[in-house]
Amino acid sequence: AQSVSQHNHHVILSEAASLELGCNYSYGGTVNLFWYVQYPGQHLQLLLKYFSGDPLVKGIKGFEAEFIKSKFSFNLRKPSVQWSDTAEYFCAVTNNDMRFGAGTRLTVKP
Amino acid sequence: NAGVTQTPKFQVLKTGQSMTLQCAQDMNHEYMSWYRQDPGMGLRLIHYSVGAGITDQGEVPNGYNVSRSTTEDFPLRLLSAAPSQTSVYFCATSLRFPYEQYFGPGTRLTVT
């Protein structure tokens, strides 16, 4: 079955630490890839997206992600996290429809 | 320009009751979808629509109906509520598939 996997369920970091959140998918063929963020009490907002071209994409708030086709991965990175990055992060993949991973909760300690 | 609106924000139902969750958008988006969000399971697609008059099932359609008679509205109907349907429901829209989706504020539903 088609699926999206986020292996880190809860990540705790101190401010200024670097972040990498994993995302793998099992779809074959052409896919479009997204990372969404959900701040506490809010709805989902788009962080970044990949459709084609340069596999390293930059999003808002200093986030970036790299698409590695051979590994079916689309990992999210940020060089230096801030307390305000505390949120839940969701990877999503479109094929016939849009499917989401289970999410990774990020807690940044001040 | 309200974007994506959902009503109600909160709802409590008894087992067996039916209700409709409303979703409306004023962005003239073709694609609309419903998700449920449960702890540890992310968002799961219930139903989606690529345009007025066209709907299709997602991952978890059982117990839910949808219709799309206009571009703007995409209501989700719970036919006979069950405690397993306790969740937060999000409506999302996209200019067209597979572009990025814009999410509404959600409806928190509790079924007792």
Side-chain angles (χ1 to χ4, degrees):
Chain A
Q2 298 169 333
S3 66
V4 181
S5 300
Q6 292 182 243
H7 308 294
N8 313 104
H9 298 295
H10 188 192
V11 173
I12 302 172
L13 296 172
S14 297
E15 274 193 315
S18 63
L19 170 72
E20 180 159 5
L21 302 182
C23 174
N24 289 89
Y25 62 94
S26 64
Y27 297 83
T30 302
V31 293
N32 298 311
L33 301 152
F34 305 82
W35 276 96
Y36 283 85
V37 61
Q38 186 177 31
Y39 297 104
Q42 296 188 26
H43 55 89
L44 277 80
Q45 303 168 44
L46 181 69
L47 265 183
L48 49 79
K49 61 190 178 188
Y50 173 80
F51 281 8
S52 63
D54 188 344
L56 184 63
V57 293
K58 295 192 185 300
I60 61 171
K61 304 187 181 188
F63 286 92
E64 64 179 33
E66 185 175 13
F67 171 50
I68 303 179
K69 189 174 182 180
S70 61
K71 294 185 178 180
F72 296 88
S73 71
F74 189 55
N75 292 355
L76 180 71
R77 300 196 289 249
K78 186 171 184 178
S80 176
V81 294
Q82 301 173 323
W83 176 79
S84 57
D85 293 325
T86 293
E88 191 151 18
Y89 292 81
F90 294 93
C91 179
V93 179
T94 58
N95 186 254
N96 295 318
D97 50 41
M98 181 179 273
R99 300 292 175 101
F100 284 79
T104 297
R105 186 155 60 100
L106 172 66
T107 301
V108 180
K109 298 189 289 186
Chain B
N1 190 342
V4 184
T5 58
Q6 290 184 239
T7 56
K9 285 187 168 48
F10 301 94
Q11 182 71 48
V12 179
L13 290 179
K14 294 188 188 306
T15 297
Q17 288 184 316
S18 63
M19 79 158 295
T20 299
L21 279 62
Q22 301 292 345
C23 175
Q25 53 106 352
D26 61 1
M27 298 181 285
N28 203 29
H29 283 180
E30 290 182 0
Y31 185 87
M32 298 185 73
S33 56
W34 277 102
Y35 292 86
R36 57 177 290 172
Q37 183 179 25
D38 302 291
M41 304 188 75
L43 282 82
R44 291 181 292 168
L45 181 65
I46 304 171
H47 286 285
Y48 63 97
S49 167
V50 298
I54 307 169
T55 64
D56 208 342
Q57 297 181 350
E59 294 175 83
V60 290
N62 292 341
Y64 307 94
N65 271 359
V66 291
S67 59
R68 183 99 179 268
S69 55
T70 67
T71 299
E72 294 77 20
D73 300 296
F74 191 44
L76 178 72
R77 296 183 188 83
L78 279 70
L79 308 173
S80 176
S84 60
Q85 293 178 305
T86 293
S87 187
V88 180
Y89 291 85
F90 288 100
C91 177
T93 77
S94 174
L95 181 61
R96 64 181 63 86
F97 188 80
Y99 295 162
E100 65 266 29
Q101 296 197 71
Y102 297 84
F103 284 80
T107 294
R108 185 174 294 275
L109 175 68
T110 302
V111 183
T112 61

